[in-house]
């Protein structure tokens, strides 16, 4: 099974072909990380480019995203295989107004794989829900945003944590395509991670 075929099937939104392709690639011994980066993530980047260029519209993005999620589902057991002890409690969500969840799901999977207990709050998560998760014992709040228009809701959540008297009790890590280290500094987040594996590293460092 070639990675190019999986890549193309994601772009074409062929979920069952992606499922079969990822299974075949794993059976052939192709590293899960290569399948993830070179086929699944690379395909979503191409889908984004085609959307920007007006070649793809929301329905095409949506069916490609479903195909990607199907592939991720097959990879999940491989990605989470490493976990043993509970290394800490993390609550993660995509911020209010934002429905993109593939990157957030990947970060959640990697954290689980690294042994963290993950409370996935889902998408379109308001400040109150993040505050509640912190009150319920999360040591780290993870926020994802894919839209420049929703990034500012990260700052609102940090302000809400401060208002609730919880800011010094939880660490905040942020990420998502438009998010940068400079933005994390600007809003007073404890860490920024550009991808799922570095998110796991950052969370480990924050709890060390
Ligand atoms: Co949307 N979309 N989308 N979309 N979409 C983008 C983000 C966009 C960049 C496309 C483009 O124009 N090139 C653009 C945003 C432009 C901007 O704001 N600058 C865009 C737009 C405009 C929109 C709509 C507004 C379109 C419309 O309706 N006109 C709309 C908004 C809906 C909403 O949220 N309210 C919309 C809708 C959608 C779909 C629903 C169709 C679908 C999402 C389905 C889903 O997620 N279940 C979708 C998709 C699929 C995309 C693209 C093509 C792919 C996103 C993705 O899944 N990437 C995207 C283009 C792109 O990003 N190239 C695009 C793969 C994923 C693994 O990467 O999420 O970046 P990513 O996650 C990475 C890192 O960022 C990081 O780790 C992950 C793994 O390495 N990371 C973290 C993520 N979260 C983290 C958290 C951390 C740490 C790291 O700590 C907690």
């Amino acid at each position: 099974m070639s990675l190019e075929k999986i890549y193309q099937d994601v772009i074409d939104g062929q979920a069952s072909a992606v499922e079969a392709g990822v299974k075949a690639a794993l059976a052939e011994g192709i590293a899960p990380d290569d399948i993830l980066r070179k086929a699944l993530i690379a395909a979503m980047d191409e889908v984004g480019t085609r959307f920007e260029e007006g070649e793809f519209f929301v329905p095409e993005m949506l069916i490609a995203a479903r195909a990607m999620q199907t592939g991720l589902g097959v990879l999940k057991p491989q990605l989470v295989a490493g976990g043993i002890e509970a290394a800490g409690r993390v609550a993660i969500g995509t911020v209010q107004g934002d429905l993109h969840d593939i990157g957030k799901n990947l970060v959640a999977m990697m954290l689980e794989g690294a042994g963290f207990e993950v409370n996935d709050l889902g998408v379109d998560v308001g400040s109150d829900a993040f505050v509640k998760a912190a009150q319920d014992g999360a040591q780290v709040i993870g926020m994802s945003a894919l839209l420049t228009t929703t990034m500012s809701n990260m700052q609102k959540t940090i302000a809400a944590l401060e208002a609730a008297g919880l800011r010094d009790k939880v660490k905040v890590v942020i990420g998502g395509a438009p998010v940068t280290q400079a933005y994390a500094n600007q809003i007073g987040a404890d860490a920024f991670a550009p991808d799922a594996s570095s998110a796991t590293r950052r969370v480990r460092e924050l709890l060390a």
Side-chain angles (χ1 to χ4, degrees):
M1 174 52 58
S2 74
L3 293 178
E4 288 75 22
K5 166 94 168 70
I6 300 171
Y7 169 90
Q8 193 57 49
D9 285 336
V10 172
I11 293 172
D12 295 341
Q14 300 292 332
S16 47
V18 172
E19 183 177 2
V22 174
K23 282 181 181 162
L26 287 172
E28 283 166 29
I30 299 179
D33 198 53
D34 279 347
I35 302 171
L36 179 64
R37 281 172 217 286
K38 296 182 186 166
L40 301 180
I41 292 183
M44 292 316 288
D45 284 345
E46 176 60 20
V47 168
T49 303
R50 292 190 191 187
F51 178 75
E52 267 171 38
E53 290 169 351
E55 193 187 326
F56 271 17
F57 298 94
V58 171
E60 285 91 351
M61 276 210 289
L62 203 51
I63 58 164
R66 285 198 190 127
M68 158 97 182
Q69 301 264 33
T70 305
L72 267 187
V74 179
L75 275 188
K76 183 172 178 180
Q78 318 289 323
L79 297 175
V80 303
I84 349 142
E85 86 286 21
R89 297 174 75 183
V90 183
I92 188 168
T94 303
V95 296
Q96 191 154 34
D98 201 323
L99 304 176
H100 296 85
D101 67 354
I102 297 176
K104 182 266 297 168
N105 293 345
L106 202 47
V107 173
M109 275 182 209
M110 295 286 202
L111 285 168
E112 272 182 44
F116 292 95
E117 187 184 316
V118 177
N119 176 11
D120 188 341
L121 304 173
V123 296
D124 193 17
V125 180
S127 302
D128 290 355
F130 283 114
V131 167
K132 167 106 179 26
Q135 283 163 342
D136 289 346
Q139 296 159 288
V140 177
I141 296 293
M143 286 185 277
S144 178
L146 265 284
L147 299 171
T148 45
T149 47
T150 57
M151 281 166 67
S152 56
N153 290 328
M154 294 176 158
Q155 189 164 16
K156 285 190 186 145
T157 298
I158 291 177
L161 289 168
E162 269 160 16
L166 292 164
R167 185 64 190 93
D168 57 348
K169 296 188 178 63
V170 284
K171 301 290 184 189
V172 175
V173 56
I174 63 172
V179 179
T180 59
Q181 181 64 55
Y183 186 67
N185 297 343
Q186 184 193 321
I187 67 170
D190 296 296
F192 157 72
D195 55 45
S197 48
S198 58
T200 302
R201 274 200 301 280
R202 293 288 92 78
V203 169
R204 247 199 223 111
E205 287 159 12
L206 289 172
L207 294 180

